[in-house]
Amino acid sequence: MSGVGGSADRSLPPLVDPVSELSAEERARYSRHLLLGAIGDEGQRRLRAASVFVVGAGGLGAPVLMYLAAAGVGRITVVDDDEVDLGNLHRQVIHSVAAVGRPKVDSARDRLAELAPEVRVDAVHARLDALNIGSLLEGHHLVIDGSDNFATRYLVSDACEIAGIPLIWGTIDRFRAQLAVFWSRPPAPAEAVTLRDLYPAPPPAGSVPSCAEAGVVGALCGTVGSMMAMEAVKLVTGAGRPLLGRLVLMDLLESTNRTVTVRPDPSREPVTELPDGAGDVSCELPDPGLPEVPTVSATDLAAELAASGPTGSPGRPDAPAPVLVDVRGAGERSIARIDPSVWVPLDSVAEVAGDPTGVLGRAAERGPLVVYCKSGVRSARAAATLSAAGFPGVRSLAGGIEAWTRDVDPSLPGY
């Protein structure tokens, strides 16, 4: 990334050849597009001929899908392996309360059928991996990535680089967002730029909180998703100047927006193949530099808590109850928590551990520490820190509070 600035305005040729003509109904429906010189009749016919692959039917995918369908894109494929949850609805506006528990792709397909029944929508309820992504991308003109985890973003980017398909990419975090277009084989004289030119590798696990951990304002999803849909319209029709080679950085809380130039890294080795096997596309990637720490399952921890007491159960005075340490953020803890537990946010664990009279030192006097977070990644980092600081027998709750909610206490709300 070269820094703030830009290059000479440069449009790209249309990505898609147009269909021969529009129907009378389509002319009426898209009349406002036909009035635009940059789109017009020919551009609308290109949209009608376009096939767009959308990754995710969540926060970004919701507005992307609705505006693509409303724009008259002929074929949309949406892939997502998740189901609609009540906590999705403040930002995933394509879904409704009635859709809670349904696959997101099915809910999205039904909503798009109401909005634009002439648009073909292929709903794929599956997890993208290195084995299926290549065949799923076949026949599509471009990809829009609305996924919420680094593993999927890099998988999609690498697959698009190999296939030479343009990729519209966006990420959101609380009130901030990033947006760009990547393309490994754009028409000359445009330079090829991919996600790995901007960010060569995913960040270490736990270093960047997910939306489920940090939160996100719903209106941000609408803003960024609409911009991603607009980038698709520009690429398909040849209108305007797409964001290829540029990165938009926005902060809705501060009402700021700036664009920086992204250039290819000449030292980077091109991606030519995906790793064998399905790969890990979980929301948090394992950290290869993190020492292995002992873990305990939710059901085993519940059994230990039931069988032990603060001073040991009858006949087992040497078996004090485990003491739980919550290393999540304050917002997460306000939604759901395992009681009783000590709260020490991850970024303060090392400092608190250095004080033998602090809350962690006092907690360790009562029993062995079991650290938990949302899914088990941050708790593993915290457990490693505590073990290195001399705390004995520290374990991490495998699967975090998600596993506890699923296997022990379903009454806790998910997030």
Side-chain angles (χ1 to χ4, degrees):
M1 186 168 62
S2 66
V4 178
S7 56
D9 286 352
R10 195 176 286 153
S11 61
L12 295 173
L15 186 63
V16 181
D17 293 330
V19 298
S20 58
E21 61 181 354
L22 299 172
S23 67
E25 181 179 348
E26 287 172 328
R27 289 184 176 280
R29 177 184 287 268
Y30 306 116
S31 60
R32 303 304 190 273
H33 275 184
L34 303 184
L35 295 172
L36 298 172
I39 298 179
D41 177 83
E42 182 177 298
Q44 192 61 48
R45 287 188 287 120
R46 293 185 192 277
L47 289 168
R48 184 70 180 84
S51 295
V52 179
F53 190 90
V54 179
V55 182
L60 292 176
V64 164
L65 290 166
M66 293 182 73
Y67 276 107
L68 289 181
V73 170
R75 177 194 176 196
I76 301 170
T77 298
V78 54
V79 58
D80 196 308
D81 70 334
D82 201 5
E83 287 75 42
V84 180
D85 182 85
L86 187 63
N88 301 147
L89 300 184
H90 89 289
R91 66 195 183 281
Q92 300 179 16
V93 294
I94 199 170
H95 308 300
S96 66
V97 172
V100 170
R102 294 188 66 200
K104 289 182 180 179
V105 293
D106 292 346
S107 169
R109 179 193 57 210
D110 292 349
R111 177 67 184 94
L112 297 184
E114 296 174 345
L115 178 66
E118 75 283 359
V119 173
R120 170 184 168 185
V121 179
D122 296 328
V124 181
H125 186 218
R127 179 179 288 263
L128 279 181
D129 58 42
L131 298 178
N132 64 17
I133 190 169
S135 60
L136 288 173
L137 290 183
E138 290 180 0
H140 294 88
H141 295 103
L142 64 90
V143 176
I144 301 180
D145 184 5
S147 61
D148 64 354
N149 63 85
F150 291 105
T152 300
R153 290 171 190 153
Y154 280 84
L155 173 70
V156 172
S157 175
D158 290 346
C160 287
E161 180 174 354
I162 293 169
I165 301 175
L167 168 64
I168 300 169
W169 174 90
T171 66
I172 52 177
D173 172 29
R174 288 164 279 208
F175 300 94
R176 299 185 298 272
Q178 301 181 30
L179 175 67
V181 172
F182 302 118
W183 198 350
S184 61
R185 295 199 289 273
E191 290 184 313
V193 180
T194 74
L195 174 60
R196 291 190 183 272
D197 291 308
L198 178 62
Y199 300 119
S207 62
V208 179
S210 68
C211 291
E213 298 163 355
V216 61
V217 64
L220 178 64
C221 301
T223 300
V224 180
S226 298
M227 293 177 69
M228 296 172 81
M230 185 62 207
E231 289 302 307
V233 170
K234 290 193 291 184
L235 286 170
V236 168
T237 64
R241 181 189 176 197
L243 282 173
L244 180 63
R246 295 183 293 158
L247 174 71
V248 172
L249 304 166
M250 66 182 73
D251 186 328
L252 293 194
L253 197 61
E254 298 296 328
S255 298
T256 60
N257 188 317
R258 66 191 181 105
T259 303
V260 298
T261 302
V262 181
R263 293 194 172 91
D265 179 359
S267 66
R268 185 179 73 84
E269 289 292 329
V271 177
T272 57
E273 61 181 2
L274 298 176
D276 293 334
D280 176 12
V281 290
S282 61
C283 288
E284 294 179 300
L285 296 171
D287 185 350
L290 185 67
E292 289 191 14
V293 297
T295 61
V296 59
S297 70
T299 52
D300 287 347
L301 176 60
E304 290 182 28
L305 291 170
S308 303
T311 58
S313 59
R316 294 188 62 196
D318 59 340
V323 178
L324 275 64
V325 179
D326 184 355
V327 296
R328 301 171 301 151
E332 294 176 90
R333 188 168 171 83
S334 70
I335 298 171
R337 65 187 185 190
I338 306 172
D339 284 325
S341 58
V342 174
W343 180 46
V344 182
L346 179 62
D347 57 5
S348 61
V349 166
E351 179 182 357
V352 176
D355 179 5
T357 64
V359 61
L360 288 173
R362 297 194 304 271
E365 293 176 354
R366 304 201 308 268
L369 302 183
V370 174
V371 189
Y372 76 92
C373 63
K374 184 176 191 291
S375 64
V377 173
R378 287 173 289 168
S379 61
R381 295 175 65 89
T385 298
L386 292 173
S387 295
F391 286 76
V394 181
R395 293 173 293 172
S396 171
L397 175 58
I401 198 170
E402 291 181 333
W404 183 269
T405 302
R406 181 186 66 242
D407 300 334
V408 178
D409 186 1
S411 69
L412 291 178
Y415 65 95

